[in-house]
Amino acid sequence: MSHITYKIVRHDTGWAYTADGTYSETFPSHDAALRAARRAAGEQRISGDTAGISWEDEGGHWREELSEGADRPETDVEG
């Protein structure tokens, strides 16, 4: 099982959270970013339907794979 850590950081003119190198939108306060990160982390753990997904890798190539709906990561929030 994979693990994702959401981290609260200063970003642009406010605060954001990062997960796996990606920034969220900017929030006006640390508390607002923390609430959003906790919500996103919780939603990430919810099982869903098995579905086909497409994604672009680091080299710019598109990949397709089957994502099992019950294969959800463990998550936590720092900051």
Side-chain angles (χ1 to χ4, degrees):
M1 178 177 288
S2 62
H3 185 94
I4 299 173
T5 299
Y6 291 78
K7 297 179 183 178
I8 309 304
V9 296
R10 283 209 164 271
H11 184 64
D12 289 335
T13 60
W15 295 87
Y17 62 84
T18 64
D20 199 25
T22 301
Y23 286 87
S24 70
E25 66 270 28
T26 302
F27 295 91
S29 69
H30 180 276
D31 287 343
L34 181 60
R35 283 191 304 273
R38 287 179 176 159
R39 183 177 57 248
E43 290 172 357
Q44 189 76 29
R45 293 187 302 262
I46 297 172
S47 293
D49 296 329
T50 296
I53 60 171
S54 298
W55 51 279
E56 188 175 5
D57 67 18
E58 305 85 25
H61 300 96
W62 282 94
R63 308 290 182 179
E64 293 186 8
E65 64 184 57
L66 188 62
S67 177
E68 298 291 332
D71 183 22
R72 305 310 307 154
E74 294 179 5
T75 62
D76 63 24
V77 178
E78 293 180 357

Coordinates of all heavy atoms in Angstrom, one line a residue:
M1 N 0.9 -1.2 0.0 CA 0.0 0.0 0.0 C 0.9 1.2 0.0 O 1.9 1.3 0.7 CB -0.9 0.0 1.2 CG -1.8 1.2 1.3 SD -2.9 1.2 2.7 CE -4.1 -0.1 2.1
S2 N 0.5 2.2 -0.8 CA 1.3 3.4 -0.9 C 0.9 4.4 0.3 O -0.1 4.2 1.0 CB 1.1 4.1 -2.2 OG -0.2 4.5 -2.4
H3 N 1.7 5.4 0.4 CA 1.5 6.4 1.5 C 1.7 7.8 0.9 O 2.6 8.1 0.1 CB 2.5 6.2 2.6 CG 2.3 7.2 3.7 ND1 1.5 6.8 4.8 CD2 2.7 8.4 4.0 CE1 1.5 7.8 5.7 NE2 2.2 8.8 5.2
I4 N 0.8 8.7 1.2 CA 0.8 10.1 0.7 C 0.8 11.0 1.9 O -0.1 10.9 2.8 CB -0.3 10.5 -0.2 CG1 -0.3 9.6 -1.5 CG2 -0.3 11.9 -0.6 CD1 -1.5 9.7 -2.4
T5 N 1.8 12.0 2.0 CA 1.8 13.0 3.0 C 1.5 14.3 2.4 O 2.1 14.8 1.5 CB 3.2 13.0 3.7 OG1 3.5 11.8 4.3 CG2 3.2 14.1 4.8
Y6 N 0.5 15.0 3.0 CA 0.1 16.3 2.6 C 0.8 17.3 3.5 O 0.7 17.1 4.8 CB -1.5 16.5 2.8 CG -2.2 15.7 1.8 CD1 -2.5 14.3 1.9 CD2 -2.8 16.3 0.6 CE1 -3.2 13.6 1.0 CE2 -3.5 15.6 -0.3 CZ -3.7 14.3 -0.1 OH -4.4 13.5 -1.0
K7 N 1.5 18.2 3.0 CA 2.3 19.2 3.8 C 1.8 20.6 3.6 O 1.6 21.0 2.4 CB 3.8 19.1 3.4 CG 4.4 17.7 3.7 CD 5.8 17.7 3.3 CE 6.4 16.3 3.5 NZ 7.8 16.1 3.1
I8 N 1.6 21.3 4.7 CA 1.2 22.7 4.6 C 2.4 23.6 4.4 O 3.4 23.5 5.2 CB 0.5 23.1 5.9 CG1 -0.6 22.1 6.3 CG2 -0.1 24.6 5.8 CD1 -1.6 21.9 5.2
V9 N 2.4 24.5 3.4 CA 3.6 25.3 3.1 C 3.1 26.7 2.7 O 2.0 26.9 2.3 CB 4.4 24.7 1.9 CG1 5.0 23.4 2.3 CG2 3.5 24.6 0.6
R10 N 4.0 27.7 2.8 CA 3.7 29.0 2.3 C 3.8 29.0 0.8 O 4.6 28.3 0.2 CB 4.8 30.0 2.8 CG 4.5 30.5 4.2 CD 5.1 31.9 4.4 NE 4.6 32.5 5.6 CZ 3.5 33.2 5.6 NH1 2.7 33.4 4.6 NH2 3.1 33.7 6.8
H11 N 2.8 29.6 0.1 CA 2.8 29.6 -1.3 C 2.1 30.9 -1.9 O 1.1 31.3 -1.4 CB 2.0 28.4 -1.8 CG 2.0 28.1 -3.3 ND1 3.1 27.9 -4.0 CD2 0.9 28.1 -4.2 CE1 2.8 27.7 -5.2 NE2 1.5 27.9 -5.4
D12 N 2.8 31.4 -2.9 CA 2.3 32.7 -3.5 C 2.1 33.7 -2.4 O 3.0 34.0 -1.6 CB 1.1 32.5 -4.3 CG 1.4 31.8 -5.6 OD1 2.6 31.8 -6.1 OD2 0.5 31.1 -6.2
T13 N 0.8 34.2 -2.2 CA 0.5 35.2 -1.2 C -0.1 34.6 0.0 O -0.7 35.4 0.8 CB -0.4 36.3 -1.8 OG1 -1.6 35.6 -2.3 CG2 0.3 37.0 -3.0
G14 N -0.1 33.3 0.2 CA -0.8 32.7 1.3 C -0.2 31.4 1.7 O 1.0 31.2 1.8
W15 N -1.1 30.4 1.8 CA -0.7 29.0 2.2 C -1.3 28.0 1.2 O -2.4 28.3 0.6 CB -1.2 28.8 3.6 CG -0.6 29.6 4.6 CD1 -1.0 30.9 5.0 CD2 0.6 29.3 5.4 NE1 -0.1 31.4 6.0 CE2 0.8 30.4 6.2 CE3 1.4 28.2 5.5 CZ2 1.9 30.4 7.1 CZ3 2.5 28.2 6.4 CH2 2.7 29.3 7.2
A16 N -0.7 26.9 1.1 CA -1.2 25.8 0.3 C -0.8 24.5 0.9 O -0.1 24.4 1.9 CB -0.6 25.9 -1.1
Y17 N -1.2 23.4 0.3 CA -0.7 22.1 0.7 C 0.0 21.4 -0.5 O -0.4 21.7 -1.6 CB -1.7 21.2 1.4 CG -2.9 20.8 0.6 CD1 -2.8 19.7 -0.3 CD2 -4.1 21.5 0.7 CE1 -3.9 19.4 -1.1 CE2 -5.2 21.1 -0.1 CZ -5.1 20.1 -1.0 OH -6.2 19.7 -1.7
T18 N 1.0 20.6 -0.3 CA 1.6 19.9 -1.4 C 1.3 18.4 -1.1 O 1.2 17.9 0.0 CB 3.1 20.1 -1.5 OG1 3.7 19.6 -0.3 CG2 3.4 21.6 -1.7
A19 N 1.3 17.6 -2.2 CA 1.2 16.2 -2.1 C 1.9 15.6 -3.3 O 1.5 16.0 -4.5 CB -0.3 15.7 -2.1
D20 N 2.9 14.9 -3.1 CA 3.7 14.3 -4.2 C 4.2 15.3 -5.2 O 4.1 15.1 -6.4 CB 2.8 13.2 -4.8 CG 3.6 12.2 -5.6 OD1 4.8 12.0 -5.3 OD2 3.1 11.6 -6.6
G21 N 4.6 16.4 -4.7 CA 5.2 17.5 -5.6 C 4.2 18.4 -6.2 O 4.6 19.3 -7.0
T22 N 2.9 18.3 -6.0 CA 1.9 19.1 -6.6 C 1.3 20.0 -5.5 O 1.0 19.6 -4.4 CB 0.8 18.2 -7.2 OG1 1.4 17.4 -8.2 CG2 -0.3 19.1 -7.8
Y23 N 1.2 21.3 -5.9 CA 0.6 22.3 -5.0 C -0.9 22.4 -5.2 O -1.4 22.3 -6.3 CB 1.2 23.7 -5.2 CG 2.6 23.8 -4.8 CD1 3.7 23.5 -5.6 CD2 2.8 24.4 -3.5 CE1 5.0 23.6 -5.1 CE2 4.1 24.5 -3.0 CZ 5.2 24.1 -3.8 OH 6.5 24.3 -3.4
S24 N -1.6 22.7 -4.1 CA -3.0 23.0 -4.1 C -3.2 24.4 -4.5 O -2.2 25.1 -4.8 CB -3.7 22.8 -2.7 OG -3.2 23.8 -1.8
E25 N -4.4 24.9 -4.6 CA -4.7 26.3 -4.7 C -4.2 27.0 -3.5 O -3.9 26.4 -2.5 CB -6.2 26.6 -4.9 CG -7.1 26.2 -3.8 CD -7.6 24.8 -3.7 OE1 -6.9 23.9 -4.3 OE2 -8.6 24.6 -3.1
T26 N -4.1 28.3 -3.5 CA -3.6 29.1 -2.4 C -4.8 29.5 -1.5 O -5.8 29.8 -2.0 CB -2.9 30.4 -2.9 OG1 -1.8 30.0 -3.8 CG2 -2.4 31.2 -1.8
F27 N -4.5 29.4 -0.2 CA -5.5 29.7 0.8 C -5.1 30.9 1.6 O -3.9 31.1 1.7 CB -5.7 28.5 1.8 CG -6.3 27.3 1.1 CD1 -5.5 26.3 0.5 CD2 -7.7 27.1 1.0 CE1 -6.0 25.2 -0.1 CE2 -8.2 26.0 0.3 CZ -7.3 25.1 -0.2
P28 N -6.0 31.7 2.1 CA -5.6 32.9 2.8 C -4.9 32.7 4.2 O -4.2 33.6 4.7 CB -6.9 33.7 3.0 CG -8.0 32.6 3.0 CD -7.4 31.6 2.0
S29 N -5.1 31.5 4.8 CA -4.5 31.3 6.1 C -4.0 29.9 6.2 O -4.4 29.0 5.4 CB -5.6 31.5 7.2 OG -6.5 30.5 7.2
H30 N -3.1 29.7 7.2 CA -2.6 28.3 7.5 C -3.7 27.4 7.8 O -3.8 26.2 7.4 CB -1.6 28.4 8.6 CG -1.0 27.1 9.0 ND1 -1.6 26.2 9.8 CD2 0.2 26.5 8.6 CE1 -0.8 25.2 10.0 NE2 0.2 25.3 9.2
D31 N -4.6 27.9 8.7 CA -5.8 27.0 9.1 C -6.6 26.6 8.0 O -7.1 25.4 7.9 CB -6.6 27.7 10.2 CG -5.9 27.8 11.5 OD1 -4.9 27.1 11.8 OD2 -6.3 28.6 12.4
A32 N -6.9 27.5 7.0 CA -7.7 27.1 5.9 C -7.0 26.1 5.0 O -7.7 25.1 4.5 CB -8.0 28.4 5.0
A33 N -5.7 26.2 4.8 CA -5.0 25.2 4.1 C -4.9 23.9 4.8 O -5.1 22.8 4.2 CB -3.5 25.7 3.8
L34 N -4.8 23.9 6.1 CA -4.8 22.7 6.9 C -6.1 22.0 6.8 O -6.2 20.7 6.6 CB -4.5 23.0 8.4 CG -4.4 21.9 9.4 CD1 -3.3 20.9 8.9 CD2 -4.1 22.4 10.8
R35 N -7.2 22.7 6.9 CA -8.6 22.1 6.8 C -8.7 21.4 5.4 O -9.2 20.3 5.3 CB -9.7 23.1 7.0 CG -9.9 23.4 8.5 CD -11.2 24.3 8.7 NE -11.2 25.5 7.9 CZ -10.7 26.7 8.3 NH1 -10.1 26.8 9.4 NH2 -10.8 27.7 7.5
A36 N -8.3 22.1 4.4 CA -8.4 21.6 3.0 C -7.5 20.3 2.8 O -8.0 19.4 2.2 CB -8.0 22.6 2.0
A37 N -6.3 20.3 3.4 CA -5.4 19.2 3.3 C -6.0 18.0 4.1 O -6.0 16.9 3.6 CB -4.1 19.5 3.9
R38 N -6.6 18.2 5.2 CA -7.2 17.1 6.0 C -8.4 16.5 5.2 O -8.6 15.3 5.2 CB -7.7 17.6 7.3 CG -6.5 17.8 8.3 CD -7.0 18.3 9.6 NE -5.9 18.4 10.6 CZ -5.9 19.2 11.6 NH1 -6.9 20.0 11.9 NH2 -4.8 19.2 12.4
R39 N -9.2 17.4 4.6 CA -10.3 16.9 3.8 C -9.8 16.1 2.6 O -10.3 15.0 2.3 CB -11.2 18.1 3.3 CG -12.4 17.7 2.5 CD -13.3 18.9 2.1 NE -12.5 19.9 1.3 CZ -12.2 21.1 1.7 NH1 -12.6 21.5 2.9 NH2 -11.5 22.0 1.0
A40 N -8.8 16.6 1.9 CA -8.3 15.9 0.7 C -7.7 14.6 1.1 O -7.9 13.6 0.4 CB -7.2 16.8 0.0
A41 N -6.9 14.6 2.2 CA -6.3 13.3 2.7 C -7.4 12.3 3.0 O -7.3 11.1 2.7 CB -5.5 13.6 3.9
G42 N -8.5 12.7 3.7 CA -9.6 11.8 4.0 C -10.3 11.3 2.8 O -10.6 10.1 2.7
E43 N -10.5 12.2 1.8 CA -11.1 11.7 0.5 C -10.3 10.7 -0.2 O -10.8 9.8 -0.9 CB -11.5 12.9 -0.3 CG -12.6 13.8 0.2 CD -12.8 15.1 -0.5 OE1 -12.0 15.3 -1.5 OE2 -13.7 15.8 -0.2
Q44 N -9.0 10.9 -0.1 CA -8.0 10.0 -0.8 C -8.1 8.6 -0.3 O -7.9 7.6 -1.1 CB -6.6 10.5 -0.6 CG -5.6 9.8 -1.4 CD -5.6 10.3 -2.9 OE1 -6.0 11.4 -3.2 NE2 -5.2 9.4 -3.8
R45 N -8.5 8.4 0.9 CA -8.6 7.0 1.5 C -9.9 6.3 1.2 O -10.1 5.1 1.5 CB -8.4 7.1 3.0 CG -7.1 7.6 3.4 CD -6.9 7.5 4.9 NE -7.8 8.3 5.7 CZ -7.6 9.5 6.2 NH1 -6.4 10.1 6.0 NH2 -8.5 10.1 6.8
I46 N -10.9 7.0 0.6 CA -12.2 6.4 0.4 C -12.2 5.5 -0.8 O -11.7 5.9 -1.9 CB -13.3 7.5 0.2 CG1 -13.4 8.3 1.5 CG2 -14.6 6.9 -0.2 CD1 -14.3 9.6 1.3
S47 N -12.7 4.3 -0.7 CA -12.7 3.4 -1.8 C -13.7 3.8 -2.8 O -14.7 4.5 -2.5 CB -13.1 2.0 -1.3 OG -12.1 1.4 -0.5
G48 N -13.5 3.5 -4.0 CA -14.4 3.9 -5.1 C -14.5 2.7 -6.1 O -14.3 1.6 -5.8
D49 N -14.9 3.1 -7.3 CA -15.1 2.1 -8.4 C -13.7 1.8 -9.1 O -12.9 2.7 -9.2 CB -16.1 2.6 -9.4 CG -17.5 2.8 -8.8 OD1 -17.8 2.0 -7.9 OD2 -18.2 3.7 -9.3
T50 N -13.5 0.6 -9.6 CA -12.4 0.3 -10.4 C -12.6 1.1 -11.7 O -13.7 1.0 -12.3 CB -12.3 -1.2 -10.6 OG1 -12.0 -1.8 -9.3 CG2 -11.2 -1.5 -11.6
A51 N -11.5 1.7 -12.2 CA -11.7 2.6 -13.4 C -10.4 2.6 -14.1 O -9.3 2.5 -13.6 CB -12.1 4.0 -13.0
G52 N -10.5 2.8 -15.4 CA -9.3 3.0 -16.2 C -8.8 4.5 -16.1 O -9.7 5.4 -16.1
I53 N -7.5 4.7 -16.0 CA -7.0 6.1 -15.9 C -5.9 6.3 -16.9 O -5.2 5.4 -17.3 CB -6.5 6.4 -14.4 CG1 -5.4 5.5 -14.0 CG2 -7.7 6.3 -13.4 CD1 -4.7 5.9 -12.7
S54 N -5.8 7.6 -17.3 CA -4.7 8.0 -18.1 C -3.9 9.0 -17.4 O -4.5 9.9 -16.7 CB -5.2 8.6 -19.4 OG -6.0 7.6 -20.2
W55 N -2.5 9.0 -17.5 CA -1.7 10.0 -16.9 C -0.4 10.2 -17.6 O 0.0 9.3 -18.4 CB -1.4 9.6 -15.4 CG -0.9 8.2 -15.2 CD1 -1.6 7.0 -15.2 CD2 0.5 7.8 -15.1 NE1 -0.8 5.9 -15.1 CE2 0.5 6.4 -15.0 CE3 1.7 8.5 -15.1 CZ2 1.7 5.7 -14.9 CZ3 2.9 7.7 -15.0 CH2 2.8 6.4 -14.8
E56 N 0.1 11.4 -17.5 CA 1.4 11.7 -18.2 C 2.6 11.5 -17.3 O 2.6 12.0 -16.2 CB 1.3 13.2 -18.6 CG 2.4 13.6 -19.5 CD 2.3 15.0 -20.1 OE1 1.3 15.7 -19.7 OE2 3.1 15.4 -20.9
D57 N 3.6 10.7 -17.7 CA 4.7 10.5 -16.9 C 5.7 11.6 -17.0 O 5.5 12.6 -17.7 CB 5.4 9.1 -17.2 CG 6.0 9.1 -18.6 OD1 6.2 10.1 -19.2 OD2 6.2 7.9 -19.1
E58 N 6.9 11.5 -16.3 CA 7.9 12.6 -16.2 C 8.4 12.9 -17.6 O 8.9 14.0 -17.9 CB 9.0 12.2 -15.3 CG 8.6 11.8 -13.9 CD 8.2 10.4 -13.7 OE1 8.6 9.5 -14.5 OE2 7.4 10.1 -12.8
G59 N 8.5 11.9 -18.5 CA 9.0 12.1 -19.8 C 8.0 12.6 -20.8 O 8.3 12.8 -22.0
G60 N 6.8 12.9 -20.4 CA 5.8 13.5 -21.3 C 5.0 12.4 -22.1 O 4.3 12.7 -23.0
H61 N 5.2 11.2 -21.7 CA 4.4 10.1 -22.3 C 3.1 9.8 -21.6 O 3.1 9.7 -20.4 CB 5.3 8.8 -22.4 CG 6.6 9.0 -23.2 ND1 7.8 9.3 -22.5 CD2 6.8 9.0 -24.5 CE1 8.7 9.5 -23.4 NE2 8.2 9.3 -24.6
W62 N 2.1 9.5 -22.3 CA 0.8 9.2 -21.7 C 0.8 7.7 -21.5 O 1.1 6.9 -22.3 CB -0.3 9.6 -22.6 CG -0.6 11.1 -22.5 CD1 -0.1 12.1 -23.3 CD2 -1.3 11.8 -21.4 NE1 -0.4 13.3 -22.8 CE2 -1.2 13.1 -21.7 CE3 -2.0 11.3 -20.3 CZ2 -1.8 14.1 -20.9 CZ3 -2.6 12.2 -19.5 CH2 -2.5 13.6 -19.8
R63 N 0.3 7.4 -20.2 CA 0.2 6.0 -19.8 C -1.3 5.7 -19.5 O -2.0 6.6 -19.1 CB 1.0 5.7 -18.6 CG 2.5 6.1 -18.7 CD 3.2 5.3 -19.6 NE 4.6 5.7 -19.7 CZ 5.5 5.1 -20.5 NH1 5.1 4.0 -21.2 NH2 6.7 5.5 -20.5
E64 N -1.7 4.4 -19.6 CA -3.0 4.0 -19.2 C -2.9 2.8 -18.3 O -2.0 2.0 -18.5 CB -3.8 3.6 -20.5 CG -4.1 4.8 -21.3 CD -5.1 4.5 -22.5 OE1 -5.6 3.4 -22.5 OE2 -5.3 5.4 -23.3
E65 N -3.7 2.8 -17.3 CA -3.7 1.6 -16.4 C -5.1 1.5 -15.7 O -5.9 2.4 -15.8 CB -2.6 1.7 -15.3 CG -2.8 2.9 -14.4 CD -1.6 3.0 -13.4 OE1 -0.5 3.1 -13.9 OE2 -1.9 3.0 -12.2
L66 N -5.3 0.3 -15.1 CA -6.5 0.1 -14.4 C -6.3 0.4 -12.9 O -5.3 -0.1 -12.3 CB -6.9 -1.4 -14.6 CG -8.3 -1.8 -14.0 CD1 -9.4 -1.0 -14.7 CD2 -8.5 -3.3 -14.2
S67 N -7.1 1.2 -12.3 CA -7.0 1.6 -10.9 C -8.1 0.9 -10.1 O -9.3 1.1 -10.3 CB -7.1 3.1 -10.8 OG -7.1 3.5 -9.4
E68 N -7.6 0.0 -9.3 CA -8.6 -0.7 -8.4 C -9.2 0.2 -7.4 O -8.5 0.9 -6.7 CB -7.8 -1.9 -7.7 CG -7.2 -2.9 -8.6 CD -8.3 -3.7 -9.4 OE1 -9.4 -3.9 -8.8 OE2 -8.0 -4.2 -10.5
G69 N -10.5 0.2 -7.3 CA -11.2 1.1 -6.4 C -10.9 0.9 -4.9 O -11.0 1.8 -4.2
A70 N -10.5 -0.3 -4.6 CA -10.2 -0.6 -3.1 C -8.7 -0.4 -2.8 O -8.3 -0.5 -1.7 CB -10.6 -2.0 -2.8
D71 N -7.9 -0.1 -3.8 CA -6.5 0.1 -3.6 C -6.2 1.6 -3.3 O -5.8 2.3 -4.1 CB -5.7 -0.3 -4.9 CG -4.2 -0.2 -4.7 OD1 -3.7 -0.3 -3.6 OD2 -3.5 -0.1 -5.7
R72 N -6.4 2.0 -2.0 CA -6.3 3.3 -1.6 C -5.1 3.5 -0.7 O -4.7 2.6 0.0 CB -7.6 3.8 -0.8 CG -8.9 3.6 -1.5 CD -8.9 4.1 -2.9 NE -8.5 5.5 -3.0 CZ -8.0 6.1 -4.1 NH1 -7.8 5.4 -5.2 NH2 -7.7 7.4 -4.1
P73 N -4.4 4.7 -0.8 CA -3.2 4.9 0.0 C -3.5 5.2 1.4 O -4.6 5.7 1.7 CB -2.6 6.1 -0.7 CG -3.7 6.8 -1.3 CD -4.7 5.8 -1.7
E74 N -2.5 5.1 2.3 CA -2.6 5.7 3.6 C -2.2 7.1 3.4 O -1.4 7.5 2.6 CB -1.6 4.9 4.5 CG -1.9 3.5 4.8 CD -0.9 2.8 5.7 OE1 0.0 3.5 6.2 OE2 -1.0 1.6 5.9
T75 N -2.8 8.0 4.3 CA -2.5 9.4 4.2 C -2.2 10.0 5.5 O -2.7 9.5 6.5 CB -3.6 10.2 3.5 OG1 -4.8 10.1 4.3 CG2 -3.9 9.7 2.1
D76 N -1.5 11.1 5.5 CA -1.4 11.9 6.8 C -1.1 13.4 6.3 O -0.9 13.7 5.2 CB -0.3 11.4 7.7 CG 1.1 11.5 7.2 OD1 1.4 12.2 6.3 OD2 1.9 10.7 7.7
V77 N -1.2 14.3 7.3 CA -1.0 15.7 7.1 C 0.0 16.2 8.0 O -0.1 16.0 9.2 CB -2.4 16.5 7.3 CG1 -2.2 18.0 7.1 CG2 -3.4 15.9 6.3
E78 N 1.0 17.0 7.5 CA 2.0 17.6 8.3 C 1.9 19.1 8.2 O 1.7 19.6 7.1 CB 3.4 17.2 7.9 CG 3.7 15.7 8.1 CD 5.1 15.4 7.6 OE1 5.8 16.2 7.1 OE2 5.5 14.2 7.8
G79 N 2.2 19.8 9.3 CA 2.3 21.3 9.2 C 1.2 22.0 9.9 O 0.9 23.1 9.9

